Amino acid sequence: MGQDAKKQNALEKCKSYAEIYRNVTNPVVESIIEKYLEGVPIDGDKIKNLNGYLKDIMAWKTNQIDHFCTTKEKGIAYKDKKNISFQKLESIVYDYKANYKDEDYKNLFKKLVKVKGIGNVYAITIIFFLSHGEYPIYDKFADVGLYSMMTGDEEVPLRIMTDRGFDGAWSYYLEYRDALTSLFGDRWKGKDGRFVDKGLWAYGHTVKSITCKQSDGNRFYHFYKKGDDHEK
């Protein structure tokens, strides 16, 4: 399959599988979450209701939202409170600035992963929202789905980001971001790009994955490095 056909096929597949995601979530929850993604609630130069903002995001990511009890009138209802040090988390995110660059986000990531209850994936979730989706959300199922779409393989190795340490995890995350761009252009970014992460997440659940040891080599790089023909 040529690259143009592969990219179009990936887009259509994500749109299709995003419908599966939509059918298993509360639309009120998604509406609230996407409002957060559209714009960080900043009052002056500081985030407004930072505690509630972070708790909603973490509850959404960790499946701690009670979708049945969440309504437009009442807002988000929690199943349980995850064991996260929100006071520490607030103190780190409080100084966030809208003009952050790669190095700023890397430093923020390094601080976030030191907070009790916040690992690599949860730290990336916070960065996803703070950046308005300019930095992608990450999930192991989306990773598997993306790898399968790029290679055409129906059985792919599952690599867990948590085993990589700080520098390895951040490098891998940027590699994942570049791979997204190579296949989808900028279509994955922002609120309008949610169909990509939803589709990859849903599709990734259908792909057979094999847990393997971590490798020092890059997972995606050889599929998108400049000048290569990626056809299988």
Side-chain angles (χ1 to χ4, degrees), residues 170-225:
W170 185 254
S171 294
Y172 184 78
Y173 172 61
L174 294 183
E175 179 190 329
Y176 174 79
R177 181 187 65 174
D178 290 343
L180 277 174
T181 301
S182 77
L183 192 59
F184 298 104
D186 287 339
R187 296 289 298 276
W188 59 266
K189 292 185 177 182
K191 177 186 173 184
D192 291 340
R194 285 297 319 283
F195 78 94
V196 173
D197 74 68
K198 291 175 182 178
L200 288 174
W201 179 85
Y203 174 66
H205 279 78
T206 72
V207 177
K208 184 176 181 181
S209 56
I210 305 169
T211 303
C212 63
K213 293 181 179 180
Q214 299 301 335
S215 168
D216 291 332
N218 289 333
R219 176 178 175 84
F220 295 105
Y221 179 69
H222 59 287
F223 292 111
Y224 64 81
K225 63 182 178 179

Side-chain angles (χ1 to χ4, degrees), residues 41-48:
I42 292 180
D43 184 8
D45 62 348
K46 297 299 179 185
I47 297 176
K48 183 168 54 178

Side-chain angles (χ1 to χ4, degrees), residues 138-160 172 176 200-201 203-211 219-220:
Y138 179 85
D139 177 271
K140 67 180 180 181
F141 292 108
D143 183 309
V144 166
L146 178 60
Y147 191 81
S148 176
M149 287 186 188
M150 295 189 79
T151 62
D153 295 341
E154 296 180 356
E155 183 175 282
V156 302
L158 174 64
R159 289 180 166 86
I160 307 300
Y172 184 78
Y176 174 79
L200 288 174
W201 179 85
Y203 174 66
H205 279 78
T206 72
V207 177
K208 184 176 181 181
S209 56
I210 305 169
T211 303
R219 176 178 175 84
F220 295 105

